[in-house]
Amino acid sequence: VTDWLDYYFGDWIDNRKTQFVYERTTATRNISLIIEINNGSSDAKCGIFCCGKVKEVGSTKLGVSVGALDYSTVATDTSTGDTSLLEGNYARTLDIDIFTYTANAMALDKILNDARGKGVVFMAGYSDDLLVYGYKQKHSTVMSGPVETIITVNIIGLI
């Protein structure tokens, strides 16, 4: 951090990967993790718990596409020739168009490139149906005018 502008508006906190940093402010921040044991089981487990930074990168409009990739497999018995379908997991998919100001388009392109190979929570709205924990498969930018730019992002959920 070189100055107060970099401290408050820079991305220096993203570059610190070795430790958890509690950002100090005048407001009090409390984080609580509550695990309830419902089934009478004595084992409590947490698969993934992430704390991170939220970046609002643009707005989505109508046309968000929600889907799923099916990982079921077809099995054939070689001695009888009987074929059956074995139910597998699935991964949610999300195809969105992000509308942003053209002046911000290259910064958003950099943010999406920096997200490659990382699990990210994508929120395309305030509904749980538009919330996917996954990775960015690809994105493309259409500079449609001097004011607004459309960036298409394809997201595949992690199982």
Side-chain angles (χ1 to χ4, degrees):
V1 177
T2 57
D3 58 13
W4 69 271
L5 186 68
D6 188 33
Y7 178 79
Y8 286 106
F9 301 107
D11 281 341
W12 61 272
I13 201 164
D14 289 339
N15 297 326
R16 298 188 65 169
K17 304 289 184 194
T18 58
Q19 58 184 316
F20 179 81
V21 177
Y22 181 79
E23 187 179 358
R24 294 175 302 278
T25 63
T26 56
T28 303
R29 294 185 183 186
N30 295 321
I31 299 173
S32 299
L33 174 62
I34 301 170
I35 300 174
E36 290 184 20
I37 301 174
N38 292 327
N39 298 336
S41 171
S42 61
D43 296 332
K45 298 176 183 175
C46 179
I48 298 174
F49 178 74
C50 302
C51 292
K53 195 174 191 178
V54 174
K55 289 187 181 184
E56 185 173 336
V57 295
S59 61
T60 57
K61 297 183 181 174
L62 294 176
V64 174
S65 176
V66 179
L69 291 174
D70 185 4
Y71 291 102
S72 298
T73 56
V74 175
T76 303
D77 186 342
T78 56
S79 62
T80 63
D82 290 336
T83 302
S84 61
L85 185 63
L86 302 174
E87 182 180 341
N89 285 329
Y90 69 95
R92 293 179 47 126
T93 61
L94 189 62
D95 297 326
I96 57 175
D97 290 330
I98 300 172
F99 293 82
T100 188
Y101 292 113
T102 300
N104 298 337
M106 289 299 99
L108 177 53
D109 185 70
K110 182 184 179 326
I111 290 170
L112 290 170
N113 282 329
D114 290 345
R116 69 188 181 282
K118 298 175 186 156
V120 177
V121 176
F122 293 92
M123 296 181 289
Y126 296 104
S127 167
D128 285 345
D129 296 330
L130 301 176
L131 178 81
V132 173
Y133 172 68
Y135 65 95
K136 176 204 59 114
Q137 182 184 36
K138 69 177 186 172
H139 74 278
S140 60
T141 303
V142 176
M143 301 271 192
S144 55
V147 176
E148 189 173 67
T149 294
I150 303 168
I151 299 180
T152 302
V153 183
N154 303 104
I155 300 157
I156 298 179
L158 296 169
I159 298 173

